Amino acid sequence: MKRNKFLLQITFLILLLSTAACKKYGYEVEDGYTDGSKTPNTSSSIDTNMSVVDRTMYAKARIFPGLVDNSEPRVKDQKFTLDLNFSAQNASNLRIQVAPEPQFSTGYYAAPGELIKIIVPDGINGLSMQIGGHTDNLTGKVPLLRDPIIYSVKQLYPGVNYVRNLYGGTIYIRAAFAFPKPVEFTISGAVVSPDFVLGVTQDAAWVAQVKASNVPWLEMRAKRVVFLIPRDFVIRKFTSSEPLTNPTAVMTEWNNKFDLDYNAWMGLSDNAPDVKDRSPQGPWRGVLDIQLTAGYGHSGFPFVGQMDDEWFNSFTSLKQLLTGTNWGTYHEFGHNCQQPLVWSWSTLGETTNNLFSFKVAKRNGVAFNILHGVNHDYVTAALAFAASTPAAGVTKNFDTDPLFVDVNEGPFRKINPFIQLFEKYGYDMMTYFYTSARHASRLSFNDIDKHDFTYERASEYAQTDLAAFFEAWGILISTQSQAKISAKYPPLKVKLWTYNIFTKAGGTAAIVPTMTASSEETNGEGAVNGRAATLLDGNTATYWHSAWQTAPIGAFPYTLTYNLGYSQTLRGLYFTPRASAGQRPKNVDILSSADNVTFTAVASTQIPNAATQYNFIFPAPVKAKYYRIVIKDSWNTGTNASLSEVGAIQ
């Protein structure tokens, strides 16, 4: 009996040890990753006992992201299915800063320190599980409001997998590649998150689920965007002046925003023939956090906003969505969508991202004056800059002028030229920018390249040479670029840079070249003749005449200054002498200038002694705003000169 009893005890001990130590969970792997660096956590071993809870981080998890009450039911062998058949569309393809990643919401939440068991079907590889949506790494921040790294990622294998996160968090599946058919998983140990899913969850049912839940975080999900928000903020919002009881309307509007004001405005669609023009197949993600790596909000995947009422409302307020006043949300998503490698140049980092707010307001018929910054001086100050004539020897520079370098108002002042172009030629000009940038044969390597790209694409879309507009704003473009565009399109006829995007007035005055003379006759030649302006009226019957009876009477050389109104690349000038044989100019020098101060010699020529148009072609094309014509003598022996017409040859 003793021998049998001893054998029985040995058998029981072996069974006990095998129960505690043998890990029949499908695949022997390390205990996941402690953070996004994929550094194995070697300080602990796999524990497959679902009843064991690691409470070592409870105190910190209680602060953030929060605990899950023991009364909240933990699921057991719950099945769920995910469609992992995504089309990989990365930032490089789209030439934007950030693109959505293949991260899939499960609808489950892991309580802090509790083990999650997930079964992956046979043949399904390349997956990982992420616990926690708060991925900002706060290492080095002082003071810390939460631990620096509170999310974890662990690779999954076919079979049974165990994952634990000491802080808990929303559970996601991440995929390295797509699967053509939906994948069914089995999960145990998690709690159900009261997520709202557009098209699946009913509003009233969702409100009841949120009230009944003790899960600290939940998601509001639509096809294009997912927001991770704190449940207690939602509860508080239920009884506010704008209760959050209409998530269907809110998330429908968010879907519209991304369909129409982001994807479509960038020229993206789900079924575009060219992969470069396909919209991101996964949703954008936004989260609220108690502390951020940078600023009050920052871009990325996910976009992160401060966990306060302002940012929460920017996610969930239908009123703000319809009016466009949730500037910060559009601002950060706009950062993700910028194209700095092709056209959004270095000083537009806080400008072109804000164009999306104007697009939202335009589509919803909202006045721009409710948008951030419009009630400041950025419109009037910017317009004054565009209309100004720089001091002698000074070149306007959009990128370096103190008005635009100003940290607070500068980025908003820089918005003006873009909105002026959109208001004049249509907001689809932005679509043309983005589509052209995605298909550009090469990237831009400096700001002048990007200026040129923007100028050329804007001119192509407008079917108008917009050099005058870019010059008024001090956006410098190269001679080669302007020569190419001026050869294809007629010049801009109106001073579009005076259009006020706030009042929607102005921008219609004609761009008129001017001619001035060192000497002109203002008396005795009728109401028109004698004045330099007649050289540009297109009428060979009118003429300019140097002063011959009105003091001071002129003498050679006479100087005509031809102001084109903006810098243009000319191949030459033409001259039409007066029909009367007297005072026809003979030898002339031609000079050019960008600022009407410093002139450079272009060429000299002799105008034939005939009342017919003489076309003089320069030795090489010249880009300038001002052309000075120095008349050195005439074909007769007098001291006067006269011409009928002068014009540009492009």
Side-chain angles (χ1 to χ4, degrees):
M1 288 294 293
K2 289 183 178 181
R3 177 181 174 84
N4 290 340
K5 184 176 181 181
F6 177 77
L7 290 174
L8 184 62
Q9 290 173 336
I10 291 295
T11 302
F12 177 79
L13 181 60
I14 291 172
L15 289 173
L16 180 62
L17 289 173
S18 66
T19 301
C22 292
K23 298 168 182 175
K24 307 281 188 186
Y25 49 82
Y27 211 97
E28 194 80 32
V29 295
E30 69 275 12
D31 196 29
Y33 304 126
T34 57
D35 56 34
S37 70
K38 299 187 178 180
T39 302
N41 179 3
T42 57
S43 62
S44 61
S45 59
I46 294 175
D47 181 1
T48 61
N49 190 335
M50 298 290 291
S51 64
V52 174
V53 179
D54 187 336
R55 297 181 173 85
T56 55
M57 290 296 174
Y58 256 35
K60 294 181 177 181
R62 185 187 303 277
I63 296 173
F64 193 86
L67 301 180
V68 178
D69 195 85
N70 288 332
S71 63
E72 194 72 31
R74 272 62 172 173
V75 301
K76 183 176 182 181
D77 296 327
Q78 184 76 50
K79 295 186 182 300
F80 68 95
T81 301
L82 294 179
D83 181 1
L84 305 180
N85 191 22
F86 62 94
S87 175
Q89 184 62 294
N90 56 43
S92 177
N93 256 354
L94 301 175
R95 290 183 172 167
I96 59 178
Q97 302 216 83
V98 177
E101 299 172 8
Q103 175 179 326
F104 300 88
S105 299
T106 65
Y108 294 99
Y109 193 93
E114 297 188 20
L115 200 61
I116 305 299
K117 173 185 173 183
I118 186 164
I119 301 175
V120 178
D122 289 343
I124 303 299
N125 294 285
L127 301 181
S128 58
M129 177 185 283
Q130 176 178 317
I131 297 181
H134 301 93
T135 55
D136 259 9
N137 185 337
L138 304 181
T139 301
K141 297 285 286 188
V142 179
L144 278 172
L145 302 183
R146 65 162 173 83
D147 267 6
I149 302 170
I150 60 173
Y151 79 105
S152 60
V153 179
K154 178 181 178 180
Q155 188 171 359
L156 300 178
Y157 296 90
V160 182
N161 300 262
Y162 292 88
V163 189
R164 186 195 306 274
N165 183 298
L166 299 182
Y167 303 89
T170 306
I171 297 174
Y172 303 97
I173 299 296
R174 299 183 67 98
F177 43 82
F179 295 87
K181 296 180 180 180
V183 178
E184 184 182 72
F185 300 87
T186 304
I187 192 168
S188 299
V191 297
V192 176
S193 176
D195 296 349
F196 174 83
V197 182
L198 184 63
V200 176
T201 315
Q202 300 298 314
D203 288 355
W206 176 72
V207 171
Q209 290 166 11
V210 173
K211 290 180 177 178
S213 176
N214 289 299
V215 178
W217 291 83
L218 59 90
E219 289 189 328
M220 295 181 69
R221 291 190 254 153
K223 179 181 180 181
R224 300 299 187 194
V225 65
V226 175
F227 292 115
L228 181 61
I229 53 179
R231 173 184 165 274
D232 58 344
F233 275 54
V234 178
I235 293 290
R236 191 171 66 219
K237 188 73 172 176
F238 285 157
T239 57
S240 70
S241 58
E242 187 190 351
L244 182 55
T245 54
N246 57 344
T248 295
V250 171
M251 296 312 290
T252 296
E253 185 57 29
W254 267 116
N255 247 11
N256 291 339
K257 290 286 182 291
F258 281 94
D259 274 336
L260 302 174
D261 303 322
Y262 285 83
N263 288 345
W265 204 31
M266 292 188 291
L268 303 174
S269 61
D270 288 347
N271 301 310
D274 192 318
V275 67
K276 290 183 178 180
D277 299 324
R278 290 180 195 163
S279 53
Q281 298 302 294
W284 295 95
R285 292 184 178 272
V287 305
L288 298 180
D289 202 331
I290 196 172
Q291 189 171 14
L292 283 62
T293 53
Y296 186 45
H298 67 73
S299 58
F301 186 84
F303 146 72
V304 187
Q306 188 71 39
M307 196 176 80
D308 61 16
D309 286 334
E310 180 174 340
W311 280 108
F312 177 78
N313 288 334
S314 77
F315 283 5
T316 62
S317 167
L318 182 62
K319 180 180 179 181
Q320 290 189 19
L321 278 171
L322 293 173
T323 59
T325 53
N326 53 343
W327 180 275
T329 313
Y330 300 142
H331 174 98
E332 301 302 347
F333 280 126
H335 271 309
N336 287 347
C337 295
Q338 285 173 301
Q339 291 183 315
L341 296 179
V342 185
W343 69 272
S344 183
W345 59 88
S346 64
T347 65
L348 297 178
E350 295 296 330
T351 296
T352 50
N353 60 317
N354 290 321
L355 297 176
F356 292 93
S357 296
F358 286 85
K359 173 61 167 63
V360 170
K362 181 72 174 181
R363 183 173 61 81
N364 288 328
V366 176
F368 293 158
N369 65 330
I370 70 168
L371 299 178
H372 180 77
V374 175
N375 289 323
H376 299 151
D377 75 334
Y378 87 84
V379 172
T380 53
L383 291 181
F385 171 86
S388 67
T389 299
V394 175
T395 300
K396 280 188 183 180
N397 194 313
F398 185 80
D399 296 325
T400 61
D401 192 273
L403 186 75
F404 298 114
V405 173
D406 177 84
V407 173
N408 296 316
E409 295 298 324
F412 302 112
R413 293 170 182 150
K414 289 178 181 175
I415 285 173
N416 282 269
F418 294 98
I419 302 302
Q420 287 176 333
L421 289 173
F422 297 161
E423 289 278 289
K424 170 69 174 178
Y425 296 108
Y427 278 68
D428 284 347
M429 181 182 282
M430 182 78 147
T431 310
Y432 191 68
F433 286 168
Y434 268 84
T435 304
S436 300
R438 287 194 301 275
H439 292 272
S441 58
R442 65 177 181 86
L443 303 179
S444 301
F445 295 103
N446 55 60
D447 279 355
I448 293 298
D449 271 356
K450 296 172 187 180
H451 291 182
D452 284 351
F453 182 93
T454 308
Y455 158 65
E456 291 179 20
R457 301 296 84 76
S459 296
E460 288 168 359
Y461 187 83
Q463 296 288 287
T464 301
D465 181 2
L466 296 171
F469 180 83
F470 278 73
E471 181 172 294
W473 281 108
I475 302 172
L476 308 180
I477 55 179
S478 70
T479 300
Q480 296 86 344
S481 182
Q482 186 179 350
K484 179 169 65 175
I485 292 299
S486 64
K488 295 168 64 176
Y489 304 109
L492 181 67
K493 301 295 185 183
V494 296
K495 297 179 180 179
L496 177 57
W497 56 87
T498 65
Y499 176 79
N500 188 311
I501 65 173
F502 180 30
T503 64
K504 300 187 181 298
T508 58
I511 300 174
V512 181
T514 62
M515 185 75 77
T516 57
S518 61
S519 173
E520 65 180 9
E521 181 56 57
T522 60
N523 185 38
E525 301 234 2
V528 175
N529 287 329
R531 292 155 181 81
T534 62
L535 293 170
L536 303 177
D537 65 4
N539 183 358
T540 57
T542 60
Y543 53 86
W544 158 77
H545 199 303
S546 61
W548 59 278
Q549 69 172 6
T550 304
I553 296 174
F556 289 112
Y558 294 110
T559 300
L560 301 174
T561 301
Y562 187 9
N563 178 357
L564 298 179
Y566 65 98
S567 295
Q568 299 183 43
T569 300
L570 301 187
R571 293 188 302 114
L573 293 173
Y574 67 81
F575 304 89
T576 305
R578 183 181 175 186
S580 173
Q583 298 88 43
R584 288 176 181 168
K586 184 178 182 182
N587 295 297
V588 299
D589 293 335
I590 300 171
L591 303 91
S592 65
S593 174
D595 57 10
N596 204 23
V597 175
T598 302
F599 281 84
T600 302
V602 174
S604 299
T605 189
Q606 188 177 90
I607 301 174
N609 187 14
T612 56
Q613 180 172 308
Y614 166 59
N615 295 332
F616 174 60
I617 304 302
F618 301 153
V622 177
K623 180 182 178 182
K625 181 177 181 180
Y626 300 91
Y627 288 85
R628 178 169 290 175
I629 303 161
V630 180
I631 303 172
K632 297 192 289 185
D633 54 16
S634 67
W635 283 99
N636 61 18
T637 57
T639 59
N640 296 319
S642 182
L643 271 171
S644 181
E645 290 293 310
V646 174
I649 301 175
Q650 292 183 320

